[in-house]
């Protein structure tokens, strides 16, 4: 097992507002194209591994056209990926989202799992993992705020393959 080491620091100031509709639409199209290439060339597990890497994810958001230091990058990229991956049917799924949508993550996982004919045990394991990741991330916050964003990405076939963006 490789030892973890500090490779850098990212300072991300808080910005308010929304991504313009025209930009978000382009982000969905481009994320679908890039995701398709990565999954077809390297597989679903490699794509999930990349999405879980915060520096890769930040760079991915930049390539999609979002400001490099914008605090809304995670929520916007996750939203674009959720739509793109659903359209593409590539075996990677995103549940949850921003605001009230984050609270529906377990229902999203259940719906996706039912559509994939996953066993109830596997669906429950994914839901439990999602809730646990959100709980840990929320408890780690030391600024007095609650999480307002929770996305849970998982693979169709590989047991236990998932990542969370909070």
């Amino acid at each position: 097992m490789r030892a973890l080491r500090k490779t850098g620091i990212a300072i991300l100031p808080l910005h308010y507002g929304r991504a313009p509709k025209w930009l978000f639409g382009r982000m969905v199209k481009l994320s679908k194209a890039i995701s398709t290439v990565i999954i077809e060339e390297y597989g679903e597990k490699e794509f999930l591994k990349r999405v879980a890497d915060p520096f890769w994810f930040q760079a991915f958001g930049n390539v999609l056209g979002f400001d490099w230091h914008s605090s809304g990058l995670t929520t916007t990229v996750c939203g674009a990926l959720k739509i793109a991956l659903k359209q593409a049917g590539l075996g990677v799924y995103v549940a949850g989202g921003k605001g009230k949508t984050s609270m529906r993550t377990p229902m999203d996982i259940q719906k996706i799992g039912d559509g994939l004919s996953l066993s109830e045990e596997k669906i429950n394991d994914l839901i439990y993992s999602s809730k646990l990741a959100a709980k840990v991330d929320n408890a780690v916050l030391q600024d007095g705020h609650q999480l307002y964003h929770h996305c849970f990405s998982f693979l169709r076939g590989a047991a236990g393959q998932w990542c969370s963006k909070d």
Side-chain angles (χ1 to χ4, degrees), residues 5-117:
R5 61 187 170 95
K6 186 175 179 181
T7 59
I9 297 172
I11 306 295
L12 305 173
L14 183 60
H15 293 103
Y16 297 95
R18 307 178 70 110
K21 191 173 182 173
W22 64 267
L23 174 60
F24 186 76
R26 290 178 183 178
M27 290 175 72
V28 170
K29 288 178 186 175
L30 188 52
S31 66
K32 182 178 176 182
I34 293 170
S35 300
T36 299
V37 170
I38 292 171
I39 292 168
E40 287 179 357
E41 290 292 321
Y42 303 105
E44 299 165 353
K45 288 182 184 179
E46 178 62 24
F47 180 76
L48 197 63
K49 179 181 168 187
R50 291 180 187 204
V51 170
D53 179 325
F55 290 101
W56 187 92
F57 192 83
Q58 189 75 23
F60 182 55
N62 303 150
V63 169
L64 296 181
F66 215 74
D67 290 340
W68 74 271
H69 72 313
S70 179
S71 57
L73 183 135
T74 301
T75 58
T76 306
V77 172
C78 284
L81 266 178
K82 184 175 183 177
I83 294 168
L85 292 171
K86 184 176 182 179
Q87 291 173 352
L90 297 168
V92 180
Y93 302 90
V94 179
K98 179 179 166 183
K100 290 181 182 176
T101 306
S102 70
M103 303 303 283
R104 291 195 301 265
T105 305
M107 291 173 275
D108 285 356
I109 294 170
Q110 182 72 51
K111 185 177 178 181
I112 294 166
D114 289 344
L116 296 172
S117 299

